[in-house]
Every structure is written in C-alpha cells, then in structure tokens.
Coordinates of all heavy atoms in Angstrom, one line a residue:
L1 N 0.8 -1.2 0.0 CA 0.0 0.0 0.0 C 0.9 1.3 0.0 O 0.5 2.3 -0.6 CB -0.9 0.0 1.2 CG -1.9 1.2 1.4 CD1 -2.8 1.3 0.2 CD2 -2.7 1.1 2.7
E2 N 2.0 1.2 0.7 CA 2.9 2.4 0.7 C 3.4 2.8 -0.7 O 3.7 4.0 -0.9 CB 4.1 2.1 1.6 CG 3.7 2.0 3.1 CD 4.9 1.6 4.0 OE1 5.9 1.3 3.4 OE2 4.8 1.7 5.2
E3 N 3.4 1.8 -1.6 CA 3.8 2.2 -3.0 C 2.8 3.1 -3.7 O 3.1 3.8 -4.6 CB 4.0 0.9 -3.8 CG 5.2 0.0 -3.4 CD 6.5 0.8 -3.5 OE1 6.7 1.5 -4.5 OE2 7.3 0.8 -2.5
A4 N 1.5 3.0 -3.2 CA 0.5 4.0 -3.7 C 0.8 5.4 -3.4 O 0.3 6.3 -4.0 CB -0.9 3.6 -3.2
D5 N 1.7 5.6 -2.4 CA 2.0 7.0 -2.0 C 3.4 7.3 -2.5 O 3.9 8.4 -2.1 CB 2.0 7.1 -0.4 CG 2.0 8.5 0.1 OD1 1.4 9.4 -0.6 OD2 2.6 8.8 1.1
N6 N 4.0 6.5 -3.2 CA 5.4 6.7 -3.8 C 5.3 7.5 -5.1 O 4.8 7.0 -6.1 CB 6.1 5.4 -4.1 CG 7.5 5.5 -4.5 OD1 8.0 6.6 -4.8 ND2 8.3 4.4 -4.4
R7 N 5.6 8.8 -5.0 CA 5.5 9.7 -6.1 C 6.5 9.4 -7.2 O 6.5 10.1 -8.2 CB 5.6 11.1 -5.6 CG 4.4 11.5 -4.7 CD 4.5 12.9 -4.2 NE 3.4 13.2 -3.3 CZ 2.2 13.6 -3.7 NH1 1.9 13.7 -5.0 NH2 1.2 13.8 -2.8
N8 N 7.4 8.5 -7.0 CA 8.3 8.1 -8.1 C 7.6 7.2 -9.1 O 8.1 7.0 -10.2 CB 9.5 7.3 -7.5 CG 10.4 8.2 -6.7 OD1 10.6 9.4 -7.0 ND2 11.0 7.7 -5.6
H9 N 6.4 6.7 -8.8 CA 5.7 5.9 -9.7 C 4.7 6.8 -10.5 O 4.2 7.8 -9.9 CB 4.9 4.8 -9.0 CG 5.7 3.8 -8.2 ND1 6.8 3.2 -8.8 CD2 5.6 3.3 -7.0 CE1 7.3 2.4 -7.9 NE2 6.6 2.5 -6.8
P10 N 4.3 6.4 -11.7 CA 3.3 7.2 -12.4 C 2.0 7.1 -11.6 O 1.7 6.1 -10.8 CB 3.1 6.4 -13.7 CG 4.5 5.7 -13.9 CD 4.9 5.4 -12.5
L11 N 1.1 8.1 -11.8 CA -0.1 8.2 -11.0 C -1.0 7.0 -11.1 O -1.5 6.5 -10.1 CB -0.9 9.5 -11.5 CG -2.1 9.8 -10.6 CD1 -1.8 10.0 -9.2 CD2 -2.7 11.1 -11.2
L12 N -1.2 6.5 -12.3 CA -2.1 5.3 -12.5 C -1.5 4.1 -11.9 O -2.2 3.2 -11.5 CB -2.5 5.1 -14.0 CG -3.3 6.2 -14.6 CD1 -3.6 5.9 -16.0 CD2 -4.6 6.4 -13.8
E13 N -0.1 4.0 -11.9 CA 0.5 2.8 -11.3 C 0.3 2.9 -9.8 O 0.1 1.8 -9.1 CB 2.0 2.8 -11.6 CG 2.3 2.4 -13.0 CD 1.9 1.0 -13.3 OE1 2.1 0.1 -12.4 OE2 1.2 0.7 -14.3
R14 N 0.3 4.1 -9.2 CA 0.0 4.2 -7.8 C -1.4 3.7 -7.5 O -1.6 3.1 -6.4 CB 0.2 5.6 -7.3 CG 1.7 6.1 -7.4 CD 1.8 7.6 -7.3 NE 1.2 8.0 -6.0 CZ 1.0 9.3 -5.8 NH1 1.2 10.2 -6.8 NH2 0.4 9.7 -4.7
L15 N -2.3 4.1 -8.4 CA -3.7 3.6 -8.2 C -3.8 2.1 -8.3 O -4.5 1.4 -7.6 CB -4.6 4.2 -9.2 CG -6.1 4.0 -9.1 CD1 -6.6 4.6 -7.8 CD2 -6.8 4.6 -10.3
R16 N -2.9 1.5 -9.1 CA -2.9 0.0 -9.3 C -2.4 -0.6 -8.0 O -2.9 -1.7 -7.6 CB -2.0 -0.3 -10.5 CG -2.0 -1.8 -10.8 CD -1.0 -2.2 -11.8 NE -1.3 -1.5 -13.1 CZ -2.1 -2.0 -14.0 NH1 -2.7 -3.1 -13.8 NH2 -2.3 -1.3 -15.1
F17 N -1.4 0.0 -7.4 CA -0.9 -0.6 -6.1 C -2.0 -0.5 -5.0 O -2.1 -1.5 -4.2 CB 0.3 0.2 -5.6 CG 1.6 -0.2 -6.2 CD1 2.3 0.6 -7.1 CD2 2.1 -1.5 -6.0 CE1 3.5 0.2 -7.6 CE2 3.3 -1.9 -6.5 CZ 4.0 -1.1 -7.4
L18 N -2.8 0.5 -5.0 CA -3.9 0.6 -4.1 C -4.9 -0.6 -4.3 O -5.4 -1.2 -3.4 CB -4.6 1.9 -4.2 CG -5.9 2.1 -3.3 CD1 -5.6 1.9 -1.9 CD2 -6.5 3.5 -3.6
S19 N -5.2 -0.8 -5.6 CA -6.1 -1.9 -6.0 C -5.5 -3.3 -5.6 O -6.2 -4.1 -5.1 CB -6.4 -1.8 -7.5 OG -7.2 -2.9 -7.9
I20 N -4.2 -3.4 -5.8 CA -3.5 -4.7 -5.4 C -3.6 -5.0 -3.9 O -3.9 -6.1 -3.5 CB -2.1 -4.7 -5.9 CG1 -2.0 -4.7 -7.4 CG2 -1.3 -5.9 -5.3 CD1 -0.6 -4.5 -7.9
S21 N -3.5 -3.9 -3.1 CA -3.6 -4.1 -1.7 C -5.0 -4.5 -1.3 O -5.1 -5.3 -0.3 CB -3.1 -2.8 -1.0 OG -4.2 -1.8 -1.0
G22 N -6.0 -4.0 -2.0 CA -7.3 -4.4 -1.7 C -7.6 -5.9 -2.1 O -8.2 -6.6 -1.3
N23 N -7.1 -6.3 -3.2 CA -7.3 -7.7 -3.6 C -6.5 -8.6 -2.7 O -7.0 -9.7 -2.4 CB -6.8 -7.9 -5.1 CG -7.7 -7.2 -6.1 OD1 -8.9 -7.0 -5.9 ND2 -7.1 -6.9 -7.2
N24 N -5.3 -8.2 -2.3 CA -4.6 -9.0 -1.3 C -5.4 -9.2 0.0 O -5.4 -10.3 0.5 CB -3.2 -8.4 -1.0 CG -2.3 -8.5 -2.2 OD1 -2.5 -9.2 -3.1 ND2 -1.2 -7.7 -2.1
L25 N -6.0 -8.1 0.4 CA -6.7 -8.2 1.7 C -7.9 -9.2 1.6 O -8.2 -9.9 2.5 CB -7.2 -6.8 2.1 CG -7.8 -6.7 3.5 CD1 -6.9 -7.3 4.6 CD2 -8.2 -5.3 3.8
D26 N -8.6 -9.1 0.4 CA -9.7 -10.1 0.2 C -9.2 -11.5 0.3 O -9.9 -12.3 1.0 CB -10.3 -9.8 -1.2 CG -11.1 -8.6 -1.3 OD1 -11.5 -8.0 -0.2 OD2 -11.4 -8.1 -2.4
E27 N -8.1 -11.8 -0.3 CA -7.6 -13.2 -0.3 C -7.2 -13.6 1.1 O -7.4 -14.7 1.6 CB -6.4 -13.3 -1.3 CG -6.8 -13.2 -2.7 CD -5.6 -13.3 -3.7 OE1 -4.5 -13.6 -3.2 OE2 -5.8 -13.1 -4.9
F28 N -6.6 -12.6 1.8 CA -6.2 -12.9 3.2 C -7.4 -13.3 4.1 O -7.3 -14.2 4.9 CB -5.5 -11.6 3.8 CG -5.1 -11.7 5.2 CD1 -4.0 -12.5 5.6 CD2 -5.9 -11.0 6.2 CE1 -3.7 -12.5 7.0 CE2 -5.5 -11.1 7.5 CZ -4.4 -11.9 7.9
L29 N -8.5 -12.5 3.9 CA -9.7 -12.8 4.7 C -10.3 -14.2 4.3 O -10.8 -14.9 5.1 CB -10.7 -11.7 4.5 CG -10.3 -10.3 5.1 CD1 -11.3 -9.3 4.7 CD2 -10.2 -10.4 6.6
M30 N -10.3 -14.5 3.0 CA -10.9 -15.7 2.5 C -10.1 -17.0 2.9 O -10.7 -18.0 3.1 CB -11.0 -15.7 1.0 CG -12.1 -14.8 0.4 SD -12.3 -15.0 -1.3 CE -10.8 -14.5 -2.0
V31 N -8.8 -16.8 3.1 CA -8.0 -18.0 3.4 C -7.5 -18.0 4.9 O -7.8 -18.8 5.7 CB -6.8 -18.1 2.4 CG1 -5.9 -19.3 2.7 CG2 -7.3 -18.1 1.0
R32 N -6.7 -17.0 5.2 CA -6.0 -17.0 6.5 C -7.0 -16.8 7.6 O -7.0 -17.5 8.6 CB -4.9 -16.0 6.5 CG -3.8 -16.1 5.5 CD -2.6 -16.9 6.0 NE -1.6 -16.9 5.0 CZ -0.4 -16.3 5.1 NH1 -0.1 -15.6 6.2 NH2 0.5 -16.5 4.2
V33 N -7.8 -15.7 7.5 CA -8.8 -15.4 8.6 C -9.8 -16.5 8.7 O -10.2 -16.9 9.8 CB -9.4 -14.0 8.4 CG1 -10.5 -13.7 9.4 CG2 -8.3 -12.9 8.5
A34 N -10.3 -17.0 7.5 CA -11.3 -18.0 7.5 C -10.8 -19.2 8.3 O -11.5 -19.9 9.0 CB -11.7 -18.4 6.1
G35 N -9.5 -19.6 8.1 CA -9.0 -20.7 8.8 C -8.9 -20.5 10.3 O -9.2 -21.5 11.1
L36 N -8.6 -19.3 10.8 CA -8.6 -19.0 12.2 C -10.0 -19.1 12.8 O -10.2 -19.5 13.9 CB -7.9 -17.7 12.4 CG -6.4 -17.6 12.2 CD1 -5.9 -16.2 12.4 CD2 -5.7 -18.5 13.2
V37 N -11.0 -18.6 12.0 CA -12.4 -18.6 12.5 C -12.8 -20.0 12.6 O -13.5 -20.4 13.6 CB -13.3 -17.8 11.5 CG1 -14.7 -18.1 11.8 CG2 -13.0 -16.3 11.5
A38 N -12.4 -20.9 11.7 CA -12.8 -22.3 11.8 C -12.2 -23.0 13.0 O -12.8 -23.8 13.7 CB -12.4 -23.0 10.5
Q39 N -10.9 -22.6 13.3 CA -10.3 -23.2 14.5 C -11.0 -22.7 15.8 O -11.2 -23.5 16.7 CB -8.8 -22.7 14.5 CG -8.0 -23.3 13.5 CD -6.5 -22.9 13.6 OE1 -6.0 -22.7 14.7 NE2 -5.9 -22.7 12.4
Q40 N -11.4 -21.4 15.8 CA -12.0 -20.9 17.0 C -13.4 -21.6 17.2 O -13.8 -21.9 18.3 CB -12.2 -19.4 16.8 CG -12.7 -18.7 18.1 CD -12.9 -17.2 17.9 OE1 -13.4 -16.7 16.9 NE2 -12.4 -16.4 18.8
R41 N -14.1 -21.8 16.1 CA -15.4 -22.4 16.3 C -15.3 -23.9 16.7 O -16.2 -24.4 17.4 CB -16.2 -22.4 14.9 CG -16.7 -21.0 14.6 CD -17.4 -21.0 13.3 NE -18.0 -19.7 12.9 CZ -18.5 -19.4 11.8 NH1 -18.5 -20.3 10.8 NH2 -19.0 -18.2 11.6
A42 N -14.2 -24.5 16.3 CA -14.0 -25.9 16.7 C -13.4 -26.0 18.1 O -13.2 -27.1 18.6 CB -13.0 -26.6 15.7
G43 N -13.2 -24.9 18.8 CA -12.7 -24.9 20.1 C -11.2 -25.2 20.2 O -10.7 -25.6 21.3
V44 N -10.5 -25.0 19.1 CA -9.0 -25.2 19.1 C -8.3 -24.1 20.0 O -8.6 -22.9 19.8 CB -8.4 -25.2 17.7 CG1 -6.9 -25.3 17.7 CG2 -9.1 -26.3 16.9
E45 N -7.5 -24.5 20.9 CA -6.8 -23.6 21.8 C -5.3 -23.7 21.7 O -4.6 -23.2 22.5 CB -7.2 -23.8 23.3 CG -8.7 -23.5 23.6 CD -9.0 -22.0 23.4 OE1 -8.0 -21.2 23.6 OE2 -10.1 -21.6 23.1

C-alpha cells in the first residue's frame, strides 16, 4: 500500500498498487482469517 504513496511511480501505477492491496486483503480474509475462524469455532486452543 505504501507504494501507492510513492510519487516516483506514475499516477495510475500508484492507483494500481492501491487496488492490489485491496485484492490481497480479500484473499487474506478468505484464506487465513477463515482458517482461524474455523479453529475458533472448533474450540481449538
């Protein structure tokens, strides 16, 4: 996400970095967070 604030990149490339960070976060929630939620529901300590 910090690359979206890097003025050495062209403006539209900075917008692309912002979009990439959003897509990455979606995948993180679908995989990593979902796995932890499943463990919590199963009572895993």
Side-chain angles (χ1 to χ4, degrees):
L1 179 60
E2 288 174 353
E3 292 300 314
D5 196 36
N6 187 345
R7 297 179 179 276
N8 291 324
H9 298 312
L11 185 55
L12 294 181
E13 285 299 312
R14 293 166 57 195
L15 187 63
R16 185 186 299 274
F17 276 114
L18 175 60
S19 177
I20 292 172
S21 75
N23 289 335
N24 287 347
L25 185 57
D26 287 343
E27 294 180 4
F28 176 76
L29 294 173
M30 287 190 294
V31 179
R32 302 265 183 112
V33 173
L36 288 174
V37 170
Q39 292 181 38
Q40 188 180 46
R41 287 179 176 170
V44 176
E45 293 295 333

